[in-house]
Amino acid sequence: MNLHALTNADLHCHSTVSDGACEPEQLAARARAGGVELWALTDHDEVGGVARARAAARAEGLAFLSGVEISVSFAGQVVHIVGLGFDEHDAQLREGLAATRGGREPRAREMAAGLAAVGIRGAYEGALKFVGNPELISRTHFARWLVEAGHCRDVPEVFRRFLTEGKPGFVPHRWASLSDALRWIHGAGGVAVIAHPARYRFTANEELALLTDFKGHGGQAVEVVTGSHSEQDAARFTEVALEFGLLASRGSDFHAPGESRTELGALPHLSGRLSPVWLALQDRVQFPN
Ligand code: AMP
Ligand code: MN
Ligand code: MN
Ligand code: MN
């Protein structure tokens, strides 16, 4: 396989190891069905699914990169940093991710207390029914339970009414620092990517600070084409990538059938003006036979 000729890379999605609804093997099959040529599983704060994903990619004939999506606190918001092509056995990376996951259980109990205060009882136990990895209880699991229990029609409505800043189930949390996340990824031999940059509600100055600090810590890439970006978002971050000399990534951020807007592989291509991040990861890619 020639990485230069490859266009359908999908380097962002989630399995039951974090807040996705499919097993890594099911995702690999969906990726192949969606025409994906190069795939990465990027569970939140966890690399426990990477070995299964790698084996499944081999079985499906997909080229593969290791991946993770790290939750980072920056300028009062949560920023997601995707790591690609690292050694998932690296001890510092694994310790850092374990520490990042560590706050999720007490946070979930606080979220449930906030929901109980507005009359929604049993949310912690309810969310747990949807959790595949006990260390990774996330807002998504609460959202799925709130829909199942009839409190909301769909997941986006739960986030709007209950799980975002100022709402009863929202609990502010201190995640990893940007410098720690990049140190873990780089220490394990990977490349760091700013995930879905158009999703953040930063001022122009804060966005500039993110891009500058990210580059200052050795960050190399930004997601330009991703499930939550509009065509305009992709166009804007094409220019940002070029202006800041960043490599470009592409990924659906697929979580669950019927819940995610974008299927694996079903994304616009990167502009030919961009340098795809996978070209910098040539010797990290597991190629199909
Ligand atoms: P957490 O890491 O527990 O804060 O959960 C964050 C996850 O919630 C993200 O990775 C998304 O999967 C999901 N999420 C965040 N905001 C929304 C939203 N507005 N609508 C649907 N899902 C969302
Ligand atoms: Mn998620
Ligand atoms: Mn994300
Ligand atoms: Mn994601």
Side-chain angles (χ1 to χ4, degrees):
M1 182 182 287
N2 175 4
L3 282 185
H4 286 269
L6 178 154
T7 52
N8 201 345
D10 192 325
L11 305 178
H12 189 156
C13 69
H14 299 274
S15 77
T16 49
V17 169
S18 64
D19 61 348
C22 301
E23 303 292 333
E25 293 78 12
Q26 296 173 312
L27 290 172
R30 285 183 98 92
R32 186 172 74 158
V36 172
E37 299 158 282
L38 171 64
W39 176 55
L41 172 68
T42 55
D43 276 311
H44 295 287
D45 308 324
E46 170 69 276
V47 291
V50 170
R52 283 170 64 190
R54 178 180 287 113
R58 195 185 293 283
E60 299 285 351
L62 303 171
F64 180 79
L65 281 166
S66 58
V68 69
E69 181 175 21
I70 306 182
S71 313
V72 161
S73 296
F74 186 88
Q77 290 190 52
V78 186
V79 167
H80 285 170
I81 300 294
V82 163
L84 295 172
F86 49 79
D87 169 14
E88 74 269 21
H89 304 293
D90 182 86
Q92 272 196 24
L93 172 75
R94 296 184 85 101
E95 278 164 32
L97 295 178
T100 307
R101 290 194 299 273
R104 284 184 176 271
E105 210 264 348
R107 170 191 185 233
R109 292 192 184 274
E110 264 191 75
M111 288 170 63
L115 291 168
V118 295
I120 299 174
R121 291 180 204 289
Y124 179 78
E125 294 72 20
L128 272 190
K129 290 198 299 174
F130 290 86
V131 167
N133 172 356
E135 287 186 20
L136 222 120
I137 177 161
S138 94
R139 283 186 289 163
T140 311
H141 302 114
F142 280 87
R144 290 188 185 134
W145 177 75
L146 282 159
V147 171
E148 187 201 60
H151 295 288
C152 292
R153 266 190 318 275
D154 56 24
V155 165
E157 185 191 333
V158 183
F159 274 87
R160 274 197 308 278
R161 286 177 52 197
F162 295 109
L163 298 182
T164 39
E165 194 155 0
K167 300 298 159 63
F170 183 79
V171 175
H173 190 74
R174 203 81 196 272
W175 300 103
S177 70
L178 184 66
S179 61
D180 281 347
L182 268 65
R183 195 164 42 77
W184 302 333
I185 293 167
H186 295 148
V191 166
V193 187
I194 301 176
H196 41 63
R199 285 240 310 254
Y200 311 124
R201 293 290 160 258
F202 286 135
T203 63
N205 277 340
E206 288 166 340
E207 186 179 281
L208 178 62
L210 172 63
L211 289 160
T212 320
D213 285 12
F214 178 75
K215 280 208 72 160
H217 293 300
Q220 289 187 64
V222 64
E223 261 180 8
V224 173
V225 171
T226 180
S228 55
H229 276 187
S230 66
E231 214 175 299
Q232 288 82 352
D233 295 333
R236 185 160 106 69
F237 281 94
T238 294
E239 300 309 320
V240 168
L242 291 168
E243 184 184 337
F244 285 82
L246 291 166
L247 305 169
S249 192
R250 177 180 187 269
S252 57
D253 205 359
F254 181 83
H255 280 72
E259 194 177 289
S260 295
R261 275 172 286 186
T262 311
E263 251 310 323
L264 282 149
L267 295 160
H269 289 146
L270 289 177
S271 158
R273 297 158 65 212
L274 294 165
S275 305
V277 65
W278 52 89
L279 295 185
L281 287 161
Q282 209 119 9
D283 46 353
R284 294 273 163 186
V285 174
Q286 166 191 290
F287 288 96
N289 301 317

